[in-house]
Every structure is written in structure tokens, then in C-alpha cells.
Amino acid sequence: SDLALTATTFHQHRAPTTVSGSVVASLLTALPPRGHTVTDLGARMPSWHTTLGAIAHDASIRAAMFTGVPSTFKSFGFGNGWEQFVEYPPYGNDKATAPIDGAAAWMTEVLRQAPDARFLVIVHSRGGHPPWDISPKEMTQMPPTKYTGVIEPRRGAQQLASARKRKNKRDTLSEQDQERVRALEAAALAYEDRALGNLVSALKTAGIWDNTLFVLTGDVSAGAPSL
């Protein structure tokens, strides 16, 4: 909430596409989707494109990227030019907040070794997307009460993908299922919010917050909500 009160909000900001990897590619290359060619979920960013990471490296700036979204992993061409590149697969044991936590830890270590270091850090977090790191105890306290549906934290992505493919709308998620999905998403975003707060606190503790350009943006265009 402190960031929301003190930051500048760009109400007319628009993403160049609905493909999350393509949005990040545009942020890193300053090119539209047709320019960097990451135009669909299976596209790979060519190695010849100059990215912010490579520019920072050439300027003797410590550059790192931490991502928990598979479409921006090394296999899709996003690992070039960084001093440090860390990816956290959603099917692994790392929490959804791992990219944010990893960025905070890396910056803290860099500043411990070189207090005057300049650095560029890119974090691509999965936000409220499944799988969700929710414990069984937390699940019992989530709406709707006495939930008996099929939505599970670890298998949420597969279950939602399966529901989208069904042609008969009567076979899609029930109102209870949708309420549970929204509750899981809200809990995930709350965890992300706390991790983001820890990252800002780390910058303030290091005494560099006032000299930091901190940008928070989404990785997809806004559209009609769907489950």
C-alpha cells in the first residue's frame, strides 16, 4: 500500500499482446512482438536481439533476471546477456514467491560485497497463477464453506485448462469452483504482496531506495475475465 500511495500510476498503460512471454520480450528489447518474433506461446526469442541485460553488462552494471514463468526460461531465449539468470519451474519445490525472494537475496549479497555497485534486476513472477502454495489448513478456512469441488492447489493449472477446453458450458466450473479459484488466487497474490514488500524493505535497508527506479507492471493485456 505504501508503494501504491507514493508511486506514479500510468492509467493508460497497455501491453503489446496477450502472450506473457511476448510482453516481457518487448520490455527487454523495446521491440514490438513482430520485431522480436515472440508472437505465440511456443516462440523463442532469437539470440541476436540486444536485451537490457546485455546493455547493462556492457556498461559494467550487475544484471540479473529471476523468473518463475516457463515462457521466459532459458529454453525460450531469455537467458542471454545476464550475469545471473535463475529460473524456478512451477512444478518444482520452490514457492511462487521464489523469484522475488531470490532477487532480494542476490541484491543484498551484491551490495554486501560492493556497496557502490550498480545493478539491474528483472523479476518475472507468476502472480496469482497456479500452482498455488496453499497448505491444507489454509484450504479449510477458504470460501466457499464446506467446499466439495475438485479444484486443488497443485493441480489447478491442469484443471482450469481442462475446463476451458470443454465445449459444453454446463460441464465447466461450478459457482463453488469459481469461488474457490478466486480465493486461491487472492491468497497467492497476498503472498506475492508480502514478498514484494520484503524486496522494497531490502532496498531501503541497504540505503539505495531513493536511488532506485522501481517499476511494477503486468505481463498480459487486460481482457474479459474467464475461468
Side-chain angles (χ1 to χ4, degrees):
S1 55
D2 177 64
L3 185 63
L5 289 172
T6 58
T8 299
T9 303
F10 294 88
H11 294 286
Q12 298 301 318
H13 169 71
R14 295 292 183 271
T17 174
T18 58
V19 180
S20 61
S22 183
V23 173
V24 177
S26 289
L27 289 171
L28 295 180
T29 64
L31 294 172
R34 289 187 179 182
H36 55 63
T37 69
V38 183
T39 55
D40 57 63
L41 295 175
R44 186 180 192 277
M45 186 164 62
S47 59
W48 61 78
H49 284 314
T50 301
T51 65
L52 284 177
I55 294 172
H57 178 75
D58 291 343
S60 299
I61 295 174
R62 309 288 294 272
M65 180 170 174
F66 301 83
T67 173
V69 182
S71 59
T72 54
F73 282 4
K74 287 182 180 179
S75 56
F76 287 92
F78 286 83
N80 297 326
W82 305 97
E83 173 187 333
Q84 179 89 339
F85 185 91
V86 186
E87 52 191 47
Y88 302 90
Y91 48 81
N93 295 322
D94 297 302
K95 293 183 177 181
T97 59
I100 305 175
D101 298 333
W106 183 80
M107 287 188 293
T108 300
E109 179 62 20
V110 168
L111 291 170
R112 186 187 67 81
Q113 297 177 4
D116 296 328
R118 298 181 300 160
F119 51 78
L120 167 73
V121 178
I122 303 293
V123 178
H124 190 197
S125 180
R126 69 176 187 251
H129 292 286
W132 298 290
D133 302 316
I134 308 297
S135 67
K137 182 178 179 180
E138 290 174 310
M139 288 282 288
T140 61
Q141 301 172 354
M142 285 185 171
T145 56
K146 298 182 180 180
Y147 176 68
T148 58
V150 299
I151 300 298
E152 300 175 4
R154 297 302 301 174
R155 296 183 60 246
Q158 298 94 317
Q159 291 167 328
L160 292 177
S162 176
R164 290 190 184 101
K165 292 179 181 179
R166 296 170 188 161
K167 294 182 180 179
N168 190 340
K169 292 185 177 180
R170 291 178 297 179
D171 295 332
T172 57
L173 299 181
S174 66
E175 290 185 6
Q176 277 204 334
D177 289 336
Q178 295 183 43
E179 187 176 356
R180 176 51 60 97
V181 169
R182 286 190 287 268
L184 289 165
E185 181 183 41
L189 289 175
Y191 287 134
E192 298 266 326
D193 183 66
R194 283 193 286 271
L196 191 65
N198 292 336
L199 175 59
V200 172
S201 295
L203 294 171
K204 291 182 177 180
T205 301
I208 61 172
W209 176 250
D210 291 336
N211 298 320
T212 298
L213 175 61
F214 193 91
V215 181
L216 177 64
T217 186
D219 64 357
V220 291
S221 296
S226 61
L227 291 174

